Amino acid sequence: PQSEWGYGNNPVYGGGGEPLKPLEPDKNGYYYHYDMESDLSAFEARGGCTIGPSGRFPYKGSEALVISERSDAWNGAQLPLSTTTFVPGSEYSFSACYAELDGETHYDQIALETTANGNYVQLANPNFKIPSGASNLYVVFETTEETCNFYIDEVIIAKAGTKIDGPSAIKS
């Protein structure tokens, strides 16, 4: 019966048959803070593309996550979220610094911004509500129409209302 189904060994949803406990935010109110300086294994390629660390164009520190070899605009990076911590119907603060070196329009499913090429812009929404009844949650990073390479850095997911500093858009 379904009541006896386990979580398997999926690190996002728990392992060893024990239900995953909700994460508690740190002293800054952050559940996650990916500075791209170390382990990037939580991020997955979405569609026909390659993702990996790059020191070519970081926003902060010495590394960013580059998304390259994209065959469609929806190809990008995604970050799975557990509904144990990120409860559908609740609000959370999402932020990511985004840049591309050859294109114009930038967006995320949580925020939409434009900036001049070669500059980072913060994609942020301090009170994004995860739709009630949502499942299989992912934060997705992609472009609206172009297949250019792009970079993300300083990905932070925090308690609702948390102010996260980041770069402002630069108009060309």
Side-chain angles (χ1 to χ4, degrees):
Q2 185 173 3
S3 63
E4 295 178 11
W5 290 0
Y7 287 101
N9 291 319
N10 185 325
V12 173
Y13 298 106
E18 292 295 320
L20 189 63
K21 293 181 178 152
L23 291 175
E24 292 296 325
D26 68 12
K27 65 181 179 174
N28 297 313
Y30 298 176
Y31 291 99
Y32 294 114
H33 180 184
Y34 297 100
D35 62 7
M36 307 306 169
E37 300 300 313
S38 56
D39 185 16
L40 303 176
S41 63
F43 291 86
E44 303 169 351
R46 183 171 183 257
C49 68
T50 301
I51 65 171
S54 173
R56 180 176 176 218
F57 195 67
Y59 167 66
K60 207 173 189 183
S62 61
E63 297 286 332
L65 180 69
V66 64
I67 297 84
S68 59
E69 301 175 25
R70 299 170 63 234
S71 56
D72 277 305
W74 66 269
N75 299 160
Q78 63 185 23
L79 178 64
L81 300 178
S82 169
T83 54
T84 302
T85 297
F86 300 99
V87 180
S90 298
E91 292 185 354
Y92 301 89
S93 180
F94 291 86
S95 175
C97 298
Y98 174 102
E100 64 185 49
L101 302 179
D102 56 352
E104 293 180 14
T105 304
H106 315 287
Y107 90 105
D108 184 77
Q109 293 182 346
I110 295 168
L112 171 67
E113 287 291 340
T114 59
T115 193
N117 285 340
N119 292 283
Y120 272 91
V121 63
Q122 182 183 32
L123 298 172
N125 185 335
N127 291 95
F128 179 77
K129 184 175 184 177
I130 297 173
S132 295
S135 62
N136 298 321
L137 302 178
Y138 290 89
V139 176
V140 175
F141 303 92
E142 62 188 20
T143 60
T144 54
E145 297 174 8
E146 299 177 20
T147 58
C148 58
N149 297 350
F150 64 90
Y151 299 82
I152 58 172
D153 204 348
E154 294 296 310
V155 175
I156 299 170
I157 306 171
K159 294 188 314 186
T162 301
K163 169 91 171 84
I164 301 166
D165 292 329
S168 298
I170 297 176
K171 304 302 176 192
S172 52

